[in-house]
Amino acid sequence: MPIFIDRADGGILLDVDGNQIIDLASGLGPTALGASNRRVRERVSAQLDRFTHTCFMVTEYESYVRVCQWLNKHTPGDYEKRTALFTTGAEANENAVKIARYATGRSNVLAFQGAYHGRSYMTMSLTSKEHPYKTGFGPFSESVFHAPVPARLQAGPDEVQSSLRVVRDLLRENDPATFAAMIIEPILGEAGCVIPSAGFLPGLRKIADEHGILFIADEVQSGMGRTGKIWAIEHEEVIPDLIVAAKALANGMPLSSVTGPSEVMNAVHAAGLGGTYAGNPLACEAALAVFEQLDATGALDSATRVGEIAHEVLYPLVGKGLGVIDVRVRGGMIGLEFGDEGTLAPRADLASGVSQYCQRNGVLALTNGIHENVIRLLPPIVIEESLFRDGLQVICEGILALGSEGF
Ligand SMILES: Cc1ncc(COP(=O)(O)O)c(C=O)c1O
């Protein structure tokens, strides 16, 4: 967007011309606690006075260890765990696959349609959408297979079982004993906040167990309180083997993590994993500030409240002749899908029209989705209620304005 930012906080972006924009994107998710969170600033500033970098692989520092300890304790699974830190979401997903391959001695990976896992080579292979992420960049890994995800909009009563059947068939066809891992976003962010139908994730967990396949939850976008729980997968009570975090982990500072059972994480030989900037000390301090606030629970409650408000305001628009065919809400992860109300054919023009209306009227509301027909909202989870309502009001006005233009 042609907007240059001068300052930002927990819901307002102030541009260099003095315009105020309501932020319903949080920089694609990371600044969940606000773009100038006080505790993050305090901890990072104090760290700046001590040192900015040593490389944890060379000389260690305590904040890295404390971040790992918190993640070991707060990820699902009542067993001994280890965490390794990295810098970006893609890098952490790459490392999750490396760890899974090493620990299982297998190479294939099952991913899912609509998935987005990053822009590095392995994660482009795991990502399913061709354009704009993969066009012209191939070839990609031949050891990645994609299966469908059932979700409410298209789901018939038997959709979960039939999707699990596709997964079983796909594994059988390619020999399940060659699969190191299956990787899934518990809520598929770039696909348009697609929430897999209830029972699908537990069904996948069962299949993974049957074949000794590791279950990787990519919580880069959905994790760290975004959905009202620390991890989105907690809503389905599934315990993944490896859980990947990034984005809101350090509230906008570059930090990512892979957490899993000690025996899996420790399988890799010494110095097999790492990176110059992995677990940067400034980013670790930011993460510790995030943990303080998640431990205090107010932030999680606030994410839940954001979801309740979004549901209250947006859900009544579904099926009212305005082209809104679905509203998906889990805390501060919100998807508003546009299409033909009879055939459900996607209407990217409506999503883009509403997004542009919002931009003209001071609200940042971005489009995404497999067909670019979704407005995906990721407001700061601590956004003030009145500000969030103002932002939603502009979205509603945009939808009505497009409707009155003859939709
Ligand atoms: C679910 C998911 N995984 C991985 C990534 C990649 O993270 P990064 O851009 O930090 O590499 C993203 C980024 O949007 C994401 O949403």
Side-chain angles (χ1 to χ4, degrees), residues 88-91 93 116-118 185 190 218 220-221 246-247:
T88 67
E91 192 191 358
N93 280 331
Y116 179 82
H117 297 292
E185 300 157 77
E190 295 305 306
D218 175 353
V220 167
Q221 192 169 138
K247 291 198 191 262

Side-chain angles (χ1 to χ4, degrees), residues 61 75-76 93 123 151 223 253 322 337:
Y61 38 89
T75 41
N93 280 331
T123 58
M253 296 291 287
L322 296 165
E337 180 156 355

Side-chain angles (χ1 to χ4, degrees), residues 243-267:
I243 193 157
V244 177
K247 291 198 191 262
L249 173 61
N251 204 57
M253 296 291 287
L255 186 72
S256 59
S257 61
V258 181
T259 304
S262 299
E263 68 274 15
V264 174
M265 297 295 290
N266 285 342

